[in-house]
Every structure is written in structure tokens, then in C-alpha cells.
Amino acid sequence: VTPEQVVLASCIRQAVDDYHSLTPAGDAGGFGRRRLSIAVKTSGMSVTTRPHPLWGRAAHHGKDSRTAVPVLLALANEVGEVRLRANALREGKSNEVYDGELNCSIRIIDDICDILAQSLGRHASSAVNATDNQRNKLCFIADSRSVLGRETTLISSCCKDLARILDAALARNSGRKAREMELSPQDQQTAIVMVRLIANITYQCCYNQDLLRITPVPIADFAYDTPASSNNAADTHSNAGSPVERTGLHVVLSATSLSPACFTLREWCIIAIRNAVEGNAANAETVRRLEGNEVMGDTPELQRMGVKVEMDKKGNVHVKKRDS
């Protein structure tokens, strides 16, 4: 990855963002329009007059699946290759070709993943197929979600990137209050992009929902204190008390703990969890089992601190001063 490629990917990302923020012809204003670049705001373009930045005017001729799906698949495969290089640099298995190569790799991963997230999040009812319910159900977005889930490691890679940030943040911020949590700007952006992509790729796609639930995500070798409650997804236990291997679904649930240090992450996590459990009984049951059931037994550490931990009927944990 070169700095020039990073700039190009960033420009494409902005173009895709502009395209999906455009309002239909004849509509004025709107929330999305506030996000547009100055060039697009002054051009007077709309979704019906502007070609898509990635696959041109195919979207206006009902040829989305034949053009868009291969493009999105190619982007997903490309980001997979960049991830391999970034991981090698991060783990010290390879040396940087130039100063800042790892940072450039991370930036281009975020940009491409954001492009995929925006493309997969486009509403099924477009100007082309809004009057045909059957075509809405078979729209290219559904095809793209299915193909990317089955033919790439995108979901697994996103979960591992998110887990890396989560585990490092828990270790670094151990002992701090939630409002004191710190997360670097780069980690904030990566976390939001990964959760957003997971949310959009699992929407109404049972295969990808199941994949999120069964994809194992190892816990990084960080030593951090675990809360006294039994609903910690980093050390998840079932109702029977047997350990449960952490999966992508656990990571998304745990990512909400980073929200005090990451604006909009909580909202995207909520969307991702909703999309993951919608119409999927197995995922819903997994989430239910992660609810707090009881507080773990009293420990000598808590006794020395003069406090005790209690849980109310709603599963909320409270730390109270121990009676003398």
C-alpha cells in the first residue's frame, strides 16, 4: 500500500458517501444532504442523474447484480490482502517498506470497509425497483451480502479487528471509570467502521447472521481485570456455568463498552445486534444467555475493600458499601 493509494481510496470513499447521501430528484434538503461535499452540493446532482462512483449507470438500467456484486467482491478480497500485510507488520513478522506503511494500511482498510458498508446499507427500494416488491426482495444488495459472506472472510476479519481494539482498550483502561476511558482517533474510526459493516452485511441474511454467531474470535493476550458480574463476554459463561468460546456476536455485544470513548459506536452496535438477531432464534438465544444471571461469589478482595456487589431483577449490577 502506498500513500497515493490511500489518498485515492479516501477520495472514492467520499464519492460513495456523497452518492448515498444524495436525495431523489425533486426532494429538497434532508439530513443526508448536510453530509455532502461542497462540489456535489453546488452541482445540483441527484441519485437519478449521477452515475454510481463504483459501477456507473448500471444502477439505472437494472443491471446491478451483474456489475455491482463483482465490484464489491473484488474490494472485499483486496481488503483481505491488505489485512494480511497489516497483521504481519503489527506482529513484527515483516518490516515496513517505508515509514508509516502500517498506518497507511490501516487507513485503506478502514476506507474500503466503509465503502462496502455504505454500499451494503443502501435501501432496497431504489428508483429502479421501488414499484416491484419481488425485485426488492431479490435486489443486488441481498445478493452482495450473501456472496461476501460465503466467498470471503470479511465477517471474521471485521470481528477480529474489532476484538483487537476491544481487548487492548480493556487492558489499557483497566481500573478507570467508563467516562475516563481513552481510545485513539484511529481506533475509534476503525471500531465504528467494523461495527457498521457487520450491521449491514448481516441485515436479513440468515447465513451471515449464523456466521457471526459461530465465528471464533480468540482473546488477545492482555491481562485485565474482569468485572464481578457473570455477563462479561470476554469470559462468557452459560447458565450451566460452562465456559463458552468467544465468537463474533460476543465481540459486537462487548463493543458497546467502548461507547463512552467513541461517539456513535453505541448506536451502530445496537443496529448490528438488532440485525444479527432479527429472525434468527439461535442468535437471540445466545444473547439471552449472556444476560446477567447472578453475581459471582464474594471474594477476599471485595471484603478487604469493604464493598459488596449485588444484582437487581433487571440484571443491573450495583456496588454497595459492606455493612459493618
Side-chain angles (χ1 to χ4, degrees), residues 97-174:
V97 176
Y98 60 89
D99 290 340
E101 182 187 1
L102 177 58
N103 290 334
C104 285
S105 298
I106 294 173
R107 286 289 301 276
I108 205 167
I109 290 172
D110 285 353
D111 284 340
I112 296 178
C113 285
D114 190 65
I115 291 170
L116 292 171
Q118 292 186 70
S119 299
L120 295 175
R122 186 179 128 192
H123 198 281
S125 296
S126 67
V128 177
N129 56 19
T131 59
D132 192 332
N133 291 330
Q134 186 63 24
R135 288 184 64 188
N136 277 344
K137 295 178 181 179
L138 301 175
C139 69
F140 85 96
I141 304 177
D143 293 339
S144 299
R145 293 185 186 116
S146 178
V147 170
L148 295 184
R150 294 174 184 275
E151 299 187 19
T152 73
T153 59
L154 194 59
I155 293 178
S156 173
S157 298
C158 287
C159 291
K160 290 177 181 178
D161 279 354
L162 182 61
R164 174 180 52 80
I165 294 172
L166 174 67
D167 293 342
L170 290 176
R172 187 169 56 250
N173 294 281
S174 177

Side-chain angles (χ1 to χ4, degrees), residues 35-93:
R35 300 163 48 196
L36 299 179
S37 62
I38 296 176
V40 175
K41 283 183 178 180
T42 58
S43 66
M45 288 185 175
S46 70
V47 291
T48 58
T49 61
R50 188 185 188 195
H52 193 281
L54 297 180
W55 47 85
R57 297 190 180 277
H60 304 301
H61 299 287
K63 300 178 181 179
D64 279 321
S65 290
R66 284 181 288 175
T67 54
V69 175
V71 170
L72 296 178
L73 179 60
L75 287 174
N77 288 330
E78 182 63 28
V79 80
E81 293 297 324
V82 179
R83 265 197 178 98
L84 292 176
R85 176 61 179 167
N87 289 337
L89 293 173
R90 190 178 286 117
E91 296 167 6
K93 297 179 180 179

